[in-house]
Amino acid sequence: ASEPVKFLVPPTSNLSDLVDSFVVKGLDAEDLVILSGAHTIGRSHCSAFVPDRLNVSSDIDSGLAAFLRGQCPSDATPGGNDPTVMQDVVTPNDLDRQYYNNVLSHTVLFTSDAALLTSEGTARMVVDNANIPGWWEDRFEKAMVKMAGIEVKTGDQGQIRKNCRAINYY
């Protein structure tokens, strides 16, 4: 599990760092905003957001912050006391556009999510994704296909796994 994590942008990233990391992979700011919508499902370890969202002053909604402080130790560390919480407390099991409403209401876990409101362009995209039915879903599909084309391995560089959870042994 640690191998793919090294390719993820840290959740503490600001917008400039986020955009730069996407551009290096052939993606743009719109892809960043669209793919960030995947944070509408899944869980996060407390250590990914406690230090820069709960232990210091941040824009996180005070009600969510209070709830999270009840779930997460203030000294959460990877490999230690590090529980997980839902990334989207409104529709945690649905792949939907609720994430963008969460960004607008400051009820997101990561600094990188909150950063989407720090420029007029990305903030407008967040509003559009939150308010226009079907807008995000259509763009998410296209962005996922675009992302799937990044650094594709061919020939002897990789393998198609027979079981996605295990390396093929020949």
Side-chain angles (χ1 to χ4, degrees):
S2 64
E3 180 71 14
V5 172
K6 73 180 183 181
F7 297 107
L8 295 177
V9 182
T12 56
S13 298
N14 63 35
L15 186 60
S16 177
D17 290 342
L18 291 166
V19 171
D20 289 348
S21 70
F22 271 60
V23 168
V24 165
K25 298 292 184 182
L27 303 172
D28 59 25
E30 182 179 18
D31 296 318
L32 163 66
V33 174
I34 295 299
L35 292 168
S36 293
H39 290 171
T40 190
I41 56 171
R43 302 181 69 82
S44 172
H45 283 277
C46 294
S47 63
F49 62 87
V50 166
D52 66 314
R53 298 285 283 163
L54 297 182
N55 288 351
V56 298
S57 179
S58 75
D59 72 337
I60 195 167
D61 173 79
S62 60
L64 179 61
F67 169 77
L68 292 170
R69 284 187 183 102
Q71 305 296 308
C72 298
S74 61
D75 62 349
T77 53
N81 184 12
D82 196 12
T84 61
V85 296
M86 293 292 186
Q87 292 188 96
D88 174 355
V89 296
V90 180
T91 59
N93 299 313
D94 297 332
L95 183 63
D96 59 16
R97 60 192 169 105
Q98 179 60 43
Y99 165 80
Y100 298 100
N101 292 307
N102 295 347
V103 172
L104 292 169
S105 64
H106 303 278
T107 54
V108 288
L109 300 181
F110 307 131
T111 296
S112 57
D113 293 327
L116 299 180
L117 295 179
T118 62
S119 90
E120 187 177 318
T122 55
R124 168 60 32 210
M125 289 181 230
V126 168
V127 169
D128 288 346
N129 286 312
N131 294 318
I132 303 172
W135 186 270
W136 173 72
E137 294 83 352
D138 179 59
R139 282 159 180 75
F140 185 71
E141 179 182 318
K142 290 176 175 76
M144 287 294 290
V145 170
K146 189 174 177 182
M147 186 174 65
I150 297 171
E151 299 177 15
V152 174
K153 294 179 179 184
T154 60
D156 293 335
Q157 296 173 326
Q159 61 180 235
I160 298 172
R161 294 183 178 184
K162 293 177 181 166
N163 177 338
C164 64
R165 294 181 299 258
I167 296 170
N168 297 335
Y169 292 102
Y170 298 103

